[in-house]
Amino acid sequence: MSHFLLKPTLPALAVLALLGACQSNPSSTESAASKAADANREAAGTNDKKYLSEPLIKEIYTADPSAHIFNGKIYIYPSHDIETGMPENDNGDHFAMRDYHILSMDSIGGKVTDHGVALDIKDIPWAGRQLWAPDAAFKNGTYYLYFPVKDKQDIFRIGVATSKSPTGPFKAEPKPIAGSLSIDPAVFTDTDGSTYMYMGGIWGGQLQRWRTGKYDGSKPKEQEPAANEPSVGPRVAKLSKDMLSFAEPVKEVKILDQDGKVLLSGDNQRRFFEGAWMHKYNGKYYLTYSTGDTHLLVYATSNSPYGPFTYQGVFMNPVEGWTTHHSIIEKDGKWYLFYHDTQLSGKTWLRNVKVTELKRNVDGSLQTITP
């Protein structure tokens, strides 16, 4: 993995840092990096590292920001990081989030309002633990909050909750969406009014356990494809008109290289890991996602919301912190990238959301951002 160096005025301990995907799979190196970041902050009394953007809020820890514009206003649907004291592990058990706060702002750079708890895990009848990265949509006069959470059998499913207000409170449906799986729901409404959900994340997100079409948790360490096999792609399904169920079977999204071949599992600089997002520009569909253990945000394009998508490149270099998760919106003629890092805490499980402008080249390709 990549590492950055903090300014030499800080202790040499700072050589390591946590970088880049929504859940974590930290190694001992990354754990040491987290401790190093803490030690640096304590020794210096501040963090001298220069950041591209500042946290949108500092009162609570937030991550995985899904941003949308409703009625001309920006609403951000992040996960809410908390300190649990749990040890880090490959399944991300230390990401034990329990509720959602919704943020809003009238414009980029404007005042950010925290609207408080919009949904709590105790109010989701089927939920077990780990309320991870959500998304939202508006249709039929109703706001829909989509969320991943492990059920009572410790299997990630996608649920949905509704409200008449974009800030909630939201009331959860009694059961998860039939056919849903894994994590990181991203809901995209096309120009023809059709709405799709993209979902999935490997490792702790369990997507590799669904390779046969049925959940198999018997040998979780052996289910990711071999390095020379096709990688596991995210899933997609069109939502029904009531936005509460899938209108069709879930399909796998294929991500191809420039030669038309599916990216291989061992190609961890390009293959899908988690955190998919969809937006459309000049009639073309842009699938953006995290590469996980290489900590990049990358993108692929297609002429169809179902793909296949052709890999195009990196649009954001690694942030501070192991995980990277984002969303993209257009506001007042400009495009913006919402993301997170660990500026406030130096701990990969205590993150803060940020925003920066996303620029394109004349041909529609995305310019690379260094956070």
Side-chain angles (χ1 to χ4, degrees), residues 74-137:
I74 301 168
Y75 292 90
I76 306 161
Y77 299 82
S79 52
H80 176 200
D81 283 353
I82 56 174
E83 179 63 82
T84 65
M86 298 176 68
E88 299 174 69
N89 63 28
D90 285 357
N91 292 324
D93 288 328
H94 49 297
F95 289 90
M97 297 89 97
R98 296 191 291 261
D99 62 24
Y100 295 121
H101 284 235
I102 295 169
L103 313 178
S104 70
M105 53 201 302
D106 290 325
S107 60
I108 299 297
K111 178 185 176 183
V112 179
T113 300
D114 176 357
H115 295 273
V117 176
L119 179 66
D120 192 292
I121 197 168
K122 65 181 173 55
D123 298 319
I124 303 169
W126 56 274
R129 64 189 182 110
Q130 295 182 289
L131 204 54
W132 283 9
D135 195 15

Side-chain angles (χ1 to χ4, degrees), residues 124-309:
I124 303 169
W126 56 274
R129 64 189 182 110
Q130 295 182 289
L131 204 54
W132 283 9
D135 195 15
F138 174 75
K139 193 174 279 191
N140 313 320
T142 300
Y143 294 90
Y144 300 86
L145 181 67
Y146 299 93
F147 54 88
V149 68
K150 285 180 176 175
D151 63 16
K152 311 273 188 203
Q153 288 72 48
D154 230 28
I155 301 172
F156 268 117
R157 308 280 186 180
I158 308 297
V160 57
T162 58
S163 176
K164 290 300 180 181
S165 167
T167 58
F170 285 85
K171 180 176 176 55
E173 293 293 301
K175 295 181 179 180
I177 298 173
S180 67
L181 51 88
S182 195
I183 61 171
D184 294 351
V187 181
F188 164 74
T189 298
D190 206 346
T191 46
D192 66 357
S194 299
T195 300
Y196 304 84
M197 180 186 291
Y198 299 83
M199 69 197 102
I202 61 173
W203 294 5
Q206 302 180 341
L207 184 59
Q208 73 280 359
R209 302 184 187 184
W210 291 90
R211 290 176 64 195
T212 64
K214 294 183 178 180
Y215 181 82
D216 179 5
S218 61
K219 298 179 180 179
K221 293 293 185 183
E222 301 173 18
Q223 290 166 322
E224 190 175 357
N228 62 350
E229 294 180 338
S231 58
V232 176
R235 303 299 196 265
V236 63
K238 183 182 289 187
L239 285 163
S240 60
K241 291 184 179 179
D242 67 6
M243 301 287 281
L244 300 176
S245 61
F246 294 149
E248 62 186 10
V250 173
K251 302 176 179 66
E252 184 171 5
V253 176
K254 300 295 185 182
I255 304 173
L256 315 177
D257 63 18
Q258 294 293 332
D259 295 324
K261 297 179 180 179
V262 176
L263 296 180
L264 298 181
S265 181
D267 186 359
N268 65 348
Q269 294 282 334
R270 300 190 295 176
R271 63 90 170 89
F272 172 78
F273 187 97
E274 66 185 0
W277 186 261
M278 177 62 62
H279 76 275
K280 194 174 184 180
Y281 178 77
N282 283 354
K284 193 173 290 292
Y285 298 88
Y286 286 68
L287 176 69
T288 52
Y289 59 92
S290 169
T291 61
D293 54 343
T294 50
H295 319 294
L296 302 169
L297 288 181
V298 301
Y299 73 107
T301 58
S302 177
N303 292 320
S304 166
Y306 294 107
F309 289 83

